[in-house]
């Protein structure tokens, strides 16, 4: 075979196009051929025509006996087996009542049961022995006859007949029986024949002859030399298009291993298909395993995990993965092997083997050794996450789970991660159930969790085989525990309009203020844990929640701080100049600290000196720290540019920040300090710590929507929550707006129109809200703000937005350059400004608008060409 010859796509399954018939004699010969030379065809036959899938690694699992008994294909197959056995008995059996023979048979049955118990968990024996059972007895009988054994009261043909009958019965029934039953039948089929031979030996009292007969028969039966010789004839025809293999013999066919290696090297995916075909329809496992291991030694380290994932995706028999992992020699391989890729492949296979056996802790240990490889961190995180999920059994332990950060896309196992994301949502809801005191909120959260777990179980067949059993076990365990408390919580009935808990435009407080733990933690480090208070600037996208952070900061940080909130938008045009700005600040400070402000005239005549003296007076009476929060800080920039206040105001503020360790400032605005390029902003670089306020995470968005307060009676499907996140990217204002409009729509539908509906929002409800022409008008404050902001700074921002709007998947930089006709520097400057303002993002070389609803608004309000 040349290197350029295409890899064949093997199909070794039988080519029978119809079920076997009870009324066609040739079908009985077909069945007899399967029993002797192709017993694996019985599994294929049952799978294909009876619709019962029995993969090689699951033969010992319990079967639904009621289903089997009602299946006409199975029933006909059993009838055909009985007819075939009856015919064979009539041809070969002569009646005998010799007590020695009966004693031998009884002994065979007894030892057969012991054998079944001893070999119940030896899958290799369970797979190979039954195929030889029928042939064993026939060969023994033939050798006994050929050896001249003449026993009038015990015909030697009885050995052949009984062996043939038991073997045929076992080969037909074995795929249909559960684990213990298959083990017993295995023992009976093999040891009845031994019992017959034992009876013959006692009768003729010729131990030597019995030993010769037994030895030769065993070799013939276990190795199936006849079958190997037939397979060899076909093996010599490898150059032809037709491929045939010896089905029963474990003897390795010549050239098979080399051809399997060639296939795997040329096309790993097709090669694995051929490997599974050979394992499914032959006993040529040894050359296959050797070939797979040898090829794995040659695979580059960066491809090892991908190759092993394909190997474990759908193996006919997981014993292949077990042999590839070579767990017994793991330590030796790790210490002595010089081939890093082979050690890595062996380790990855061992990890997936442990996942398949529901041992995630061992899988984590194995995957920890390959974290440095491509996708190594992903499979390690997968195993670590499943370990944490598997160990959590009770409600309290599920709620206490600390979920690792998920890997970034692109993912090697996307289906599995989608399911784990569902489990993570379950954890978040269980945490809410565990801490909530509201019966309605707990009921809705429980319903969501049970729905998520039910979906996981219903879609388990889509999961990869390695982690499927483990995830199903986790989902079942969690569901059983949650069902126990679901009855205690009970159902909630809605009898009056639902109070709308969502806040549109105003700062959010209380339970609905979630998802900003990272920023609150940064403020705690700067304001609580440090030796002195630090001044900060919170900057970010419009309506991103900066005001809400400031309003909630003092509550979240405890009683050791006092925060004074000042909204600079209330200043207006400030005709009195900087004195009027400082008056607004002193009024708010005086209300917080209960110290009268200085006279207005003093602030207007000597603004800086008067304010500084007042602040020192306030500091002297402080028992704790004071944070002066100036929101909408870009208003100061506008006033300076308009000439309403002097540029030296920024230097004055910087001096105030350095005046006392008890007083600090928090500025909130659209700009980063780097964007404040004017000279009067430069001193801030050394005095203020910038904190970026970005989009909400998916989990926080889900929490805000699903559990806005303890008495919220409505719910969302997981798909609806995902759709809202896809539309908003976690933009807080839009999330609140969508939630607000959904509740309004529900109240109008049920209590204004008097129509009934399920109190659960779906994707269709979300679509109805955003397709309402009034929706974008209600959100114009946000949309107009982002569009207007794109007019400031670098030129060309709005043009870029208009060009990107028709392309939700984004455009490459080259296409953008052609479409905008901008120079490279201008285009990069505009894109950088839009990216800093969280309007656009770059993903896999393509630029796109981040917030889908803003993209749609641009298409409606500012289409390309205007």
């Amino acid at each position: 075979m040349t290197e350029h010859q295409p890899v064949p796509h093997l199909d070794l399954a039988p080519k029978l196009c119809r079920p076997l018939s009870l009324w066609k004699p040739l079908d009985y010969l077909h069945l007899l051929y399967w029993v002797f030379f192709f017993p694996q065809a019985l599994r294929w036959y049952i799978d294909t025509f009876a619709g019962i899938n029995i993969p090689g690694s699951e033969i010992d699992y319990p079967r639904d006996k009621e289903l089997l008994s009602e299946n006409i294909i199975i029933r006909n197959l059993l009838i055909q087996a009985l007819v075939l056995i009856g015919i064979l008995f009539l041809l070969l059996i002569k009646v005998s009542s010799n007590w020695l023979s009966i004693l031998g048979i009884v002994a065979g049955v007894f030892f057969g049961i012991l054998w079944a118990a001893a070999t119940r968990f030896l899958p290799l024996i369970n797979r190979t022995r039954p195929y030889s059972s029928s042939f064993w007895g026939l060969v023994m009988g033939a050798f006994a006859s050929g050896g001249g054994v003449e026993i009038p009261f015990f015909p030697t043909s009885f050995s052949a007949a009984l062996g043939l009958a038991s073997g045929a019965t076992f080969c037909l029934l074995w795929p249909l029986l559960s684990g213990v039953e298959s083990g017993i039948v295995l023992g009976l089929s093999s040891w009845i024949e031994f019992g017959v031979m034992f009876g013959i030996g006692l009768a003729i009292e010729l131990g030597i002859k019995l030993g010769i007969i037994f030895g030769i028969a065993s070799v013939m039966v276990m190795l199936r030399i006849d079958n190997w010789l037939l397979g060899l004839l076909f093996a010599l025809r490898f150059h032809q298009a037709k491929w045939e293999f010896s089905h029963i013999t474990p003897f390795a066919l010549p050239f098979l291993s080399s051809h399997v290696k060639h296939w795997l090297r040329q096309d790993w995916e097709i090669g694995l298909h051929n490997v599974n075909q050979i394992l499914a329809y032959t006993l040529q496992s040894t050359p296959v395993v050797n070939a797979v291991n040898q090829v794995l030694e040659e695979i580059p380290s960066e491809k090892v995990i991908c190759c092993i994932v394909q190997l474990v995706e759908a193996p006919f028999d997981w014993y292949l993965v077990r042999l590839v992992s070579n767990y017994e020699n793991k330590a030796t391989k790790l210490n002595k092997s010089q081939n890093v890729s082979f050690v890595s492949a062996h380790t990855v296979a061992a990890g997936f083997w442990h996942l398949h056996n529901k041992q995630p802790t061992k899988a984590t240990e194995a995957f920890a050794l390959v974290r440095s490889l491509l996708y190594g961190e992903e499979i390690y995180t997968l195993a670590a996450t499943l370990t944490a999920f598997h160990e959590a059994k009770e409600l309290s332990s599920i709620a206490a789970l600390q979920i690792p950060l998920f890997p970034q896309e692109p993912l090697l196992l996307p289906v599995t991660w989608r399911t784990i994301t569902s489990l993570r949502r379950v954890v978040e809801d269980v945490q809410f159930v565990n801490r909530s005191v509201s019966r309605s909120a707990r009921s809705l959260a429980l319903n969501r969790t049970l729905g998520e777990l039910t979906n996981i179980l219903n879609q388990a067949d889509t999961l990869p085989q390695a982690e499927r059993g483990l995830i199903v076990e986790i989902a079942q365990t969690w569901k059983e525990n949650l069902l126990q408390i679901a009855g205690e919580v009970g159902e909630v009935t809605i009898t009056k309009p639902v109070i709308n808990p969502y806040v549109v435009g105003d700062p959010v407080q209380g339970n609905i203020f979630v998802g900003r733990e990272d920023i609150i933690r940064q403020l705690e480090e700067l304001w609580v844990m440090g030796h002195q208070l630090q001044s900060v600037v919170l900057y970010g996208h419009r309506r991103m929640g900066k005001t809400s952070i400031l309003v909630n900061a003092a509550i979240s940080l405890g009683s050791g701080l006092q925060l004074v909130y000042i909204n600079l938008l209330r200043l207006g045009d400030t005709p009195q100049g900087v004195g009027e700005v400082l008056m607004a600040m002193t009024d708010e400070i005086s209300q917080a600290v209960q110290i009268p402000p200085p006279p207005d005239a003093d602030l207007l005549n000597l603004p800086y000196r008067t304010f500084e003296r007042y602040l020192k007076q306030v500091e002297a009476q402080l028992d704790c720290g004071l944070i002066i929060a100036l929101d909408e800080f870009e208003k100061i920039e506008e006033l300076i540019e308009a000439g309403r206040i002097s540029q030296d105001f920024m230097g004055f503020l910087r001096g105030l920040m350095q005046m006392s360790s008890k007083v600090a400032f928090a500025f909130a605005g659209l700009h980063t300090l780097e964007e404040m390029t004017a000279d009067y902003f430069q001193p801030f670089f050394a005095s203020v710590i910038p904190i970026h306020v970005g989009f909400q995470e998916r989990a926080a968005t889900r929490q805000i929507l699903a559990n806005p307060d303890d008495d919220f009676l409505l719910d969302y499907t997981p798909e609806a929550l995902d759709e809202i996140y896809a539309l908003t990217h976690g933009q807080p204002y839009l999330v609140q707006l969508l939630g607000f409009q959904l509740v309004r729509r529900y109240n109008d539908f049920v209590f204004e129109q008097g129509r009934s509906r399920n109190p659960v929002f779906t994707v269709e409800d979300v679509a109805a809200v955003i397709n309402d022409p009034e929706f974008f008008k209600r959100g114009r404050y946000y949309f107009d703000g982002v569009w207007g902001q794109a007019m400031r700074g670098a030129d060309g921002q709005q043009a870029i937005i208009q060009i990107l709007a028709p392309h939700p998947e984004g455009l490459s930089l080259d296409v953008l350059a052609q479409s905008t006709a901008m120079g490279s520097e201008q285009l990069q400057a505009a894109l950088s400004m839009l990216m800093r303002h969280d309007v656009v993002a770059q993903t896999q070389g393509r630029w796109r608008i981040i917030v889908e609803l803003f993209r749609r608004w641009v298409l409606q309000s500012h289409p390309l060409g205007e």
Side-chain angles (χ1 to χ4, degrees):
M1 179 180 292
T2 64
E3 291 296 321
H4 302 288
Q5 185 172 349
V7 178
H9 195 276
L10 296 185
D11 182 11
L12 302 181
K15 303 305 183 286
L16 188 68
C17 300
R18 57 171 179 78
L20 296 174
S21 172
L22 291 174
W23 313 110
K24 295 184 178 180
L26 289 179
D27 283 0
Y28 289 89
L29 293 178
H30 203 133
L31 186 57
L32 191 61
Y33 161 74
W34 281 354
V35 169
F36 276 95
F37 290 98
F38 196 8
Q40 300 95 330
L42 291 170
R43 172 194 49 79
W44 169 87
Y45 179 76
I46 294 170
D47 184 13
T48 303
F49 293 103
I52 304 172
N53 186 19
I54 308 178
S57 57
E58 300 179 3
I59 288 176
D60 286 339
Y61 289 0
R63 303 296 172 200
D64 188 342
K65 296 179 178 57
E66 182 178 352
L67 175 63
L68 295 178
S69 64
E70 294 177 355
N71 193 295
I72 187 171
I73 298 296
I74 302 298
R75 191 161 59 244
N76 287 347
L77 187 61
L78 295 177
I79 294 173
Q80 288 167 316
L82 292 175
V83 172
L84 187 62
I85 291 169
I87 294 173
L88 295 175
F89 264 105
L90 291 176
L91 293 176
L92 300 175
I93 292 181
K94 298 180 182 178
V95 179
S96 173
S97 59
N98 184 274
W99 66 271
L100 290 175
S101 302
I102 296 174
L103 177 62
I105 294 173
V106 171
V109 173
F110 173 73
F111 286 113
I113 295 174
L114 293 181
W115 174 259
T119 63
R120 169 65 181 86
F121 300 104
L122 297 179
L124 185 58
I125 294 177
N126 282 353
R127 282 194 292 271
T128 58
R129 288 293 298 275
Y131 302 143
S132 60
S133 298
S134 59
F135 191 68
W136 195 338
L138 186 61
V139 170
M140 288 182 186
F143 267 88
S145 299
V149 181
E150 298 292 344
I151 307 171
F153 54 84
F154 194 131
T156 55
S157 59
F158 184 77
S159 171
L162 188 55
L164 178 61
S166 61
T169 304
F170 181 76
C171 286
L172 291 175
L173 295 180
W174 179 52
L176 312 180
L177 300 175
S178 60
V180 176
E181 292 165 329
S182 66
I184 293 175
V185 174
L186 169 63
L188 293 179
S189 63
S190 299
W191 282 96
I192 283 179
E193 297 158 10
F194 175 77
V196 174
M197 293 302 301
F198 179 68
I200 296 174
L202 288 178
I204 62 178
E205 296 181 350
L206 291 176
I208 296 177
K209 180 177 289 189
L210 176 61
I212 295 174
I213 294 171
F214 187 84
I216 296 176
S218 297
V219 171
M220 291 291 294
V221 168
M222 296 303 295
L223 300 181
R224 287 306 299 268
I225 296 176
D226 62 321
N227 199 256
W228 182 83
L229 291 173
L230 290 174
L232 179 58
L233 296 177
F234 293 113
L236 295 176
R237 300 171 57 194
F238 274 170
H239 63 283
Q240 298 183 14
K242 182 179 179 181
W243 289 78
E244 297 286 348
F245 289 91
S246 178
H247 297 291
I248 297 178
T249 178
F251 261 4
L253 292 177
F255 314 118
L256 178 58
S257 181
S258 62
H259 280 80
V260 172
K261 286 187 288 186
H262 173 76
W263 298 337
L264 293 171
R265 290 177 185 133
Q266 291 292 104
D267 191 316
W268 179 259
E269 185 175 354
I270 297 180
L272 287 179
H273 164 81
N274 293 345
V275 163
N276 284 321
Q277 283 284 304
I278 297 171
L279 292 177
Y281 299 108
T282 79
L283 295 186
Q284 294 289 301
S285 58
T286 300
V288 168
V289 173
N290 291 338
V292 172
N293 273 318
Q294 291 178 37
V295 174
L296 284 174
E297 292 187 47
E298 306 167 3
I299 293 177
S301 298
E302 63 271 14
K303 296 183 179 180
V304 161
I305 294 179
C306 292
C307 289
I308 294 297
V309 166
Q310 288 180 303
L311 175 69
V312 303
E313 184 176 356
F316 168 75
D317 196 332
W318 270 86
Y319 201 66
L320 170 65
V321 182
R322 174 69 179 83
L323 292 174
V324 171
S325 68
N326 196 18
Y327 186 67
E328 289 85 352
N329 297 324
K330 179 177 180 180
T332 303
K333 291 289 184 183
L334 288 176
N335 292 331
K336 297 181 179 180
S337 176
Q338 301 300 316
N339 191 320
V340 176
S341 64
F342 176 68
V343 174
S344 301
H346 140 74
T347 305
V348 175
F352 281 109
W353 168 258
H354 292 312
L355 282 183
H356 178 68
N357 287 318
K358 304 177 185 178
Q359 298 172 322
T361 302
K362 291 185 177 180
T364 304
E365 294 172 358
F367 291 150
L369 302 175
V370 295
R371 294 178 69 177
S372 61
L373 299 182
L374 181 64
Y375 296 113
E377 191 64 31
E378 176 183 339
I379 61 175
Y380 171 78
T381 305
L382 169 66
T385 304
L386 290 177
T387 298
F389 287 172
H390 191 250
E391 292 175 352
K393 306 293 184 182
E394 305 298 331
L395 182 67
S396 57
S397 59
I398 297 173
L401 281 173
Q402 299 294 325
I403 303 174
L405 293 176
F406 285 9
Q408 298 295 321
E409 295 184 354
L411 297 169
L412 185 61
L413 301 166
V415 176
T416 302
W417 284 111
R418 283 197 294 271
T419 304
I420 292 180
T421 300
S422 296
L423 289 173
R424 181 173 65 177
R425 291 197 291 261
V426 171
V427 172
E428 293 164 357
D429 273 327
V430 169
Q431 291 171 344
F432 178 80
V433 170
N434 208 34
R435 68 173 181 265
S436 177
V437 296
S438 167
R439 188 171 69 90
S440 61
R442 295 185 76 199
S443 175
L444 293 172
L446 277 172
N447 287 337
R448 283 195 301 274
T449 59
L450 293 173
E452 290 273 16
L453 293 172
T454 300
N455 288 338
I456 291 172
L457 294 173
N458 290 341
Q459 300 172 12
D461 290 342
T462 63
L463 289 168
Q465 289 187 17
E467 54 267 30
R468 180 187 303 168
L470 184 61
I471 291 177
V472 167
E473 183 175 299
I474 292 169
Q476 287 175 337
T477 301
W478 289 9
K479 186 175 182 179
E480 291 170 1
N481 288 325
L482 290 171
L483 283 172
Q484 293 178 2
I485 65 171
E488 302 173 7
V489 175
E491 297 292 331
V492 176
T493 303
I494 301 176
T495 58
K496 59 183 180 180
V498 177
I499 297 176
N500 205 320
Y502 300 106
V503 180
V504 181
D506 295 329
V508 297
Q509 302 181 58
N511 292 339
I512 202 170
F513 180 71
V514 297
R516 296 303 187 186
E517 293 80 4
D518 56 336
I519 296 178
I520 295 298
R521 187 163 50 250
Q522 291 183 62
L523 294 177
E524 182 180 2
E525 293 173 355
L526 297 171
W527 292 346
V528 177
M529 301 172 64
H531 297 293
Q532 67 179 40
L533 298 179
Q534 297 284 336
S535 294
V536 301
V537 57
L538 301 176
Y539 70 93
H541 196 46
R542 280 194 180 277
R543 314 307 300 170
M544 197 66 86
K546 299 181 291 293
T547 302
S548 298
I549 292 173
L550 291 176
V551 170
N552 287 273
I555 301 174
S556 302
L557 296 174
S559 59
L561 288 174
Q562 193 164 8
L563 187 142
V564 178
Y565 175 77
I566 303 165
N567 190 337
L568 295 177
L569 286 180
R570 298 174 185 170
L571 293 177
D573 292 334
T574 60
Q576 301 298 322
V578 71
E580 190 172 351
V581 175
L582 295 178
M583 272 194 288
M585 295 173 62
T586 55
D587 287 345
E588 296 296 335
I589 294 172
S590 66
Q591 292 183 19
V593 300
Q594 300 299 312
I595 298 176
D600 291 350
D602 292 348
L603 285 169
L604 292 175
N605 293 327
L606 292 172
Y608 293 155
R609 178 65 64 186
T610 301
F611 185 84
E612 185 176 345
R613 287 177 176 175
Y614 177 71
L615 196 59
K616 288 183 178 178
Q617 179 185 0
V618 169
E619 178 197 6
Q621 300 186 37
L622 282 176
D623 295 328
C624 57
L626 177 66
I627 306 295
I628 301 175
L630 302 178
D631 198 7
E632 305 292 348
F633 188 62
E634 59 270 12
K635 180 65 177 179
I636 297 296
E637 185 179 17
E638 293 176 7
L639 293 174
I640 293 176
E641 292 177 352
R644 298 292 185 181
I645 61 177
S646 174
Q647 295 181 4
D648 61 6
F649 179 72
M650 299 305 300
F652 172 68
L653 281 182
R654 180 171 182 261
L656 293 178
M657 289 186 289
Q658 298 174 339
M659 184 180 71
S660 171
S661 61
K662 286 186 177 182
V663 179
F665 285 79
F667 307 99
L670 298 175
H671 304 313
T672 66
L673 294 179
E674 289 82 356
E675 291 179 38
M676 298 178 179
T677 56
D679 292 340
Y680 48 82
F681 282 118
Q682 295 303 315
F684 270 61
F685 283 106
S687 305
V688 185
I689 296 175
I691 297 176
H692 179 236
V693 180
F695 293 102
Q696 295 270 28
E697 296 291 337
R698 182 185 296 271
T701 302
R702 186 173 184 271
Q703 184 73 3
I704 289 170
L705 290 165
N707 305 305
D709 61 41
D710 288 343
D711 297 319
F712 188 59
L713 302 178
L714 302 175
D715 199 6
Y716 295 77
T717 65
E719 294 77 14
L721 294 172
D722 290 340
E723 178 67 8
I724 292 175
Y725 184 80
L727 291 167
T728 64
H729 200 74
Q731 209 290 328
Y733 176 84
L734 295 178
V735 170
Q736 296 284 340
L737 179 61
L738 269 171
F740 185 86
Q741 292 301 122
L742 284 168
V743 174
R744 284 190 58 181
R745 185 171 185 270
Y746 174 84
N747 285 336
D748 177 72
F749 192 90
V750 175
F751 296 101
E752 295 297 328
Q753 302 179 35
R755 302 160 67 184
S756 62
R757 60 155 293 168
N758 193 333
V760 179
F761 296 129
T762 64
V763 172
E764 289 73 20
D765 293 317
V766 176
V769 165
I770 65 173
N771 290 331
D772 186 339
E774 295 298 316
F775 174 79
F776 287 103
K777 292 181 182 179
R778 297 186 183 103
R780 64 184 178 276
Y781 178 77
Y782 164 78
F783 297 120
D784 287 337
V786 175
W787 179 255
Q789 183 181 342
M791 295 180 62
R792 304 188 57 174
D795 295 334
Q797 295 180 67
Q798 289 184 341
I800 292 174
I801 293 173
Q802 287 177 301
I803 290 171
L804 289 176
H807 306 281
E809 73 284 357
L811 295 173
S812 66
L813 186 63
D814 292 340
V815 174
L816 267 178
Q818 294 174 4
S819 302
T820 59
M822 294 182 185
S824 176
E825 292 184 3
Q826 181 187 2
L827 180 61
Q828 287 289 355
L831 287 173
S832 296
M833 183 71 72
L834 290 171
M835 185 167 61
R836 285 201 302 273
H837 291 176
D838 294 318
V839 179
V840 302
Q842 185 182 25
T843 305
Q844 297 181 347
R846 302 178 74 88
W847 290 89
R848 62 178 182 82
I849 296 174
I850 296 176
V851 179
E852 171 64 14
L853 287 176
F854 177 66
R855 185 190 70 80
R856 298 185 186 186
W857 177 83
V858 173
L859 280 177
Q860 294 180 15
S861 305
H862 301 279
L864 189 63
E866 279 195 353

